[in-house]
Amino acid sequence: MKRILIAGSLLFAARSFAQTPPLPVVSPEVHSDTRVTFRFRAPNAKEVALSLEGALRDQSMQRDAQGLWSVTTEPLAPDFYGYSFVADGVHLIDPSNSLMKPNILSTQSQVHVPGPAALPWETADVPHGEIHHHFYKSRIVGDQRDFYVYTPPGYDPRAKQTYPVLYLLHGFSDDASGWTAVGRANVILDNLITQGKAKPMLVVMPLGYGAPEILSLGFGAFHNADLRNRNFAKFRETLLTEVLPEVQASYAVAKDRDSRAIAGLSMGGAESLLTGLNSLSQFAWIGAFSSGGLPEEFETDFPALDSHTDRQLHLLWIACGTEDRLIDSNRKFRAWLAAKGVRHADIETPGAHTWMVWRRNLAAFTSLLFR
């Protein structure tokens, strides 16, 4: 009986040892030289690659004997990067990383490669503003939706001071949290305001879909002209008749057009142009970052633009990365504006259709506002 008990104990111990879970995977690991190692445990996968925001192509990962895949990048410029693992053709988040890049169609993980405090998106020891989250029922679209409001450091709704407002629009597949959760707009404004590089302002970040069903068609949705136009038109209506009045009723904001700006990225860039340039009684400052979704029949979308537009605009700022697939359409639009006699800022920077470009766009654009 004693031998049986000893044998059973040994067998239980062996099984327990065999079932001991593997050590946690460390991923991502940012090295002192700004290289980053990514790791992903997938013992049954045949092929795994790293898809990294801003990279020209996916990077193959190597498998060890325990089924742990890994790859180390070249040194990366300090910033926040979205990434995913592509395991046998399927895009997956990093299960070892809690930092996420939210997106309606393609959620990714994020890695922060730290940089000097001088970078506007790095959290610094400065006074911080606040982010307020609002919900409402849209009578125009018929759904429940939200918007965010950034108030600058020192904002006091009881004081007599009023603030200018930037309406900041996200891109296709993002939601209303995109500019704070990924774009770090609040951090950028905190730093620039403290340094005296930007005027204290409110930033309103609404949901950018006038026709939410556009998301069901994915990134090919803008080939559907009727749906695209309805999405843009209904968004403009929700912004001007629902969000803007609510902001003016709830916050200490200046209500003149000279104190109101609109800007956005990608789809939001097109919305900022369509809304701003067709509502010059409302906006005197307009910015478009890598705008996309506009057809090239510009006369149809901007019928009233001419050289007299300059008298109403303080700034029309149009930016795009030189490696962005949308650079040609942005250049065509700028050339059309020039032919119409509409002055504007032509901004081209290195980079593709990425948040690394748009964070820099936001820092540069907001530094020019309300001067």
Side-chain angles (χ1 to χ4, degrees):
M1 177 62 70
K2 186 179 293 185
R3 289 178 180 176
I4 292 174
L5 290 174
I6 292 173
S9 298
L10 291 174
L11 180 60
F12 177 78
R15 285 178 175 173
S16 298
F17 180 78
Q19 293 174 0
T20 300
L23 293 174
V25 174
V26 177
S27 178
E29 181 182 1
V30 181
H31 304 285
S32 59
D33 61 357
T34 72
R35 294 179 306 132
V36 182
T37 297
F38 297 88
R39 300 181 179 91
F40 181 58
R41 193 184 306 281
N44 297 320
K46 297 180 176 60
E47 185 178 45
V48 179
L50 169 71
S51 179
L52 181 67
E53 185 177 13
L56 295 177
R57 59 187 63 85
D58 294 348
Q59 296 177 254
S60 296
M61 301 177 71
Q62 302 302 312
R63 183 186 187 278
D64 69 10
Q66 285 71 47
L68 185 66
W69 299 78
S70 64
V71 66
T72 300
T73 69
E74 294 297 317
L76 298 177
D79 215 319
F80 286 78
Y81 295 80
Y83 72 94
S84 58
F85 298 127
V86 188
D88 295 336
V90 179
H91 285 253
L92 304 168
I93 61 172
D94 186 344
S96 303
N97 182 8
S98 62
L99 185 60
M100 302 299 295
K101 178 185 174 185
N103 188 278
I104 295 173
L105 298 182
S106 180
T107 297
Q108 290 186 305
S109 300
Q110 271 195 102
V111 59
H112 177 209
V113 180
L119 293 175
W121 53 83
E122 292 287 344
T123 302
D125 185 15
V126 299
H128 298 293
E130 296 183 1
I131 299 172
H132 313 262
H133 196 183
H134 296 261
F135 299 87
Y136 75 101
K137 171 68 179 293
S138 171
R139 60 176 177 78
I140 293 165
V141 182
D143 63 0
Q144 297 286 342
R145 52 183 46 213
D146 62 341
F147 63 91
Y148 291 80
V149 177
Y150 163 84
T151 52
Y155 172 82
D156 183 353
R158 298 165 297 181
K160 293 182 179 180
Q161 179 182 1
T162 58
Y163 293 82
V165 187
L166 166 62
Y167 288 83
L168 186 60
L169 315 180
H170 64 75
F172 185 74
S173 79
D174 292 321
D175 62 21
S177 73
W179 267 111
T180 51
V182 187
R184 298 182 66 78
N186 55 307
V187 176
I188 291 171
L189 266 296
D190 286 345
N191 290 332
L192 295 182
I193 290 170
T194 300
Q195 296 163 12
K197 295 179 179 179
K199 293 283 188 181
M201 68 184 79
L202 271 72
V203 182
V204 179
M205 294 157 280
L207 187 67
Y209 305 104
E213 62 270 22
I214 197 171
L215 289 163
S216 65
L217 298 182
F219 290 94
F222 291 91
H223 297 299
N224 184 324
D226 290 341
L227 180 57
R228 175 194 64 210
N229 293 338
R230 185 168 71 255
N231 183 65
F232 286 150
K234 290 292 186 181
F235 166 75
R236 179 187 176 195
E237 190 177 357
T238 62
L239 181 69
L240 296 181
T241 67
E242 294 181 337
V243 177
L244 191 151
E246 179 61 29
V247 169
Q248 293 190 158
S250 302
Y251 291 91
V253 297
K255 298 179 182 179
D256 60 291
R257 62 180 299 277
D258 292 325
S259 302
R260 197 178 297 127
I262 187 169
L265 71 89
S266 195
M267 179 187 75
E271 289 173 335
S272 71
L273 294 171
L274 288 166
T275 301
L277 290 174
N278 290 305
S279 307
L280 290 173
S281 63
Q282 300 282 355
F283 301 98
W285 312 78
I286 301 172
F289 315 155
S290 309
S291 62
L294 285 177
E296 293 182 5
E297 296 76 26
F298 303 125
E299 296 278 356
T300 302
D301 285 317
F302 306 100
L305 257 62
D306 56 28
S307 59
H308 298 295
T309 301
D310 290 334
R311 301 173 187 174
Q312 299 172 275
L313 280 174
H314 295 310
L315 179 64
L316 175 55
W317 200 86
I318 302 175
C320 195
T322 51
E323 287 79 52
D324 195 318
R325 65 188 185 279
L326 296 173
I327 187 68
D328 288 340
S329 60
N330 276 263
R331 286 170 175 167
K332 289 177 181 177
F333 182 64
R334 295 194 318 242
W336 180 79
L337 288 173
K340 300 287 286 185
V342 179
R343 288 181 300 172
H344 57 282
D346 290 352
I347 309 299
E348 293 191 2
T349 61
H353 204 69
T354 67
W355 279 101
M356 288 84 80
V357 169
W358 303 324
R359 292 186 194 99
R360 290 163 173 81
N361 288 164
L362 181 65
F365 180 71
T366 52
S367 297
L368 302 173
L369 293 180
F370 312 122
R371 300 290 183 178

